[in-house]
Amino acid sequence: MIALGIIVLLAVVAAVLYNRIVAARVRCDEALSGIDVALAKRYQSLSGILETVRGYARHELEVLQQLTKLRSGMTLQQKQQLSEEYDQAERQILGVAEQYPQLKASANYMQLQDTIRDAEEHLQAARRLYNANAAAYNEAIQSFPTCLIAALMQAEPRSYFQASQQERQNITL
C-alpha cells in the first residue's frame, strides 16, 4: 500500500514537472511568434509609409525589396540576420533624408520616422519577451529535479536573441 502511494506520488510529481517544461516551451514558441508579429508589423508599416515618401527619393525600392524577405518558419539565427538587414535598411532611409533636406521637413518623413521608432520599440519588446521566456525555459530544463524529466523529453536549451556585432559598437559621429 505504501509502495503504491509512493508510485502515485512520483507519477504526480513527474506529471507536474513535465507540464512545467511544456508550458515554458510553449511560452518560448509564443514569444518567438511575437517576434514574427513585430517583424511583420515593421514590414507593413514601413512599406505603407514608403509609398508616401517615394516621391522624394528612389532609394526606397532597394529597402522595400530587402523588407520583402520576411518569411514565416525562419530560425532564430535567420531572424537575427533579417533584423540586421532591417537595421541597415533603416540607416539607408535615414541616409536618404540627409541627401534631401526638404524630406527631413516633410510631414510624411516625420511620420516615417515615428513609424520606424514605434516598430523598433515593438520589436525590442518582443525580443525581450522571447529572451525572458527562453531563460525561464532553460532554467527549468537545467534545474533539479526537472532536468530528469527534460532529459527524458530530450529538451534542448533555447538560444537567445542577441545584438549583432555592429549593434554592440559605440556610435561614432
Side-chain angles (χ1 to χ4, degrees):
M1 186 67 152
I2 294 176
L4 181 61
I6 292 173
I7 291 173
V8 169
L9 179 63
L10 289 175
V12 168
V13 168
V16 168
L17 296 176
Y18 175 83
N19 288 337
R20 184 180 300 164
I21 293 170
V22 169
R25 184 178 61 215
V26 168
R27 283 190 300 274
C28 281
D29 293 342
E30 180 183 13
L32 193 56
S33 173
I35 293 174
D36 285 336
V37 169
L39 287 170
K41 178 185 178 190
R42 186 188 213 188
Y43 168 76
Q44 291 168 351
S45 297
L46 292 178
S47 62
I49 297 292
L50 283 175
E51 287 300 319
T52 312
V53 178
R54 189 174 301 280
Y56 286 104
R58 298 292 176 226
H59 294 87
E60 301 92 319
L61 182 59
E62 180 183 9
V63 173
L64 187 58
Q65 289 171 344
Q66 290 173 352
L67 294 175
T68 58
K69 291 181 182 178
L70 178 63
R71 299 286 184 260
S72 62
M74 299 174 82
T75 66
L76 180 60
Q77 187 175 36
Q78 290 170 323
K79 289 178 187 183
Q80 282 185 258
Q81 177 63 34
L82 183 60
S83 178
E84 291 171 18
E85 290 175 16
Y86 280 159
D87 293 340
Q88 290 173 351
E90 287 173 20
R91 282 190 292 279
Q92 288 176 353
I93 290 171
L94 297 175
V96 168
E98 295 298 324
Q99 296 174 9
Y100 298 91
Q102 71 275 17
L103 178 61
K104 290 176 94 172
S106 165
N108 292 335
Y109 185 74
M110 299 301 271
Q111 182 182 7
L112 174 61
Q113 285 181 311
D114 290 342
T115 301
I116 289 172
R117 190 173 15 263
D118 182 57
E120 284 304 311
E121 288 173 6
H122 280 89
L123 184 55
Q124 291 303 324
R127 288 172 178 164
R128 283 190 302 272
L129 179 62
Y130 171 78
N131 282 348
N133 283 313
Y137 175 78
N138 291 343
E139 181 181 334
I141 67 170
Q142 294 173 10
S143 59
F144 185 81
T146 314
C147 66
L148 301 174
I149 302 299
L152 292 174
M153 295 172 60
Q154 297 178 343
E156 295 290 326
R158 295 289 176 110
S159 298
Y160 295 105
F161 204 102
Q162 298 177 350
S164 68
Q165 290 292 43
Q166 185 176 9
E167 292 171 323
R168 291 179 186 173
Q169 296 175 0
N170 287 332
I171 297 175
T172 55
L173 300 177

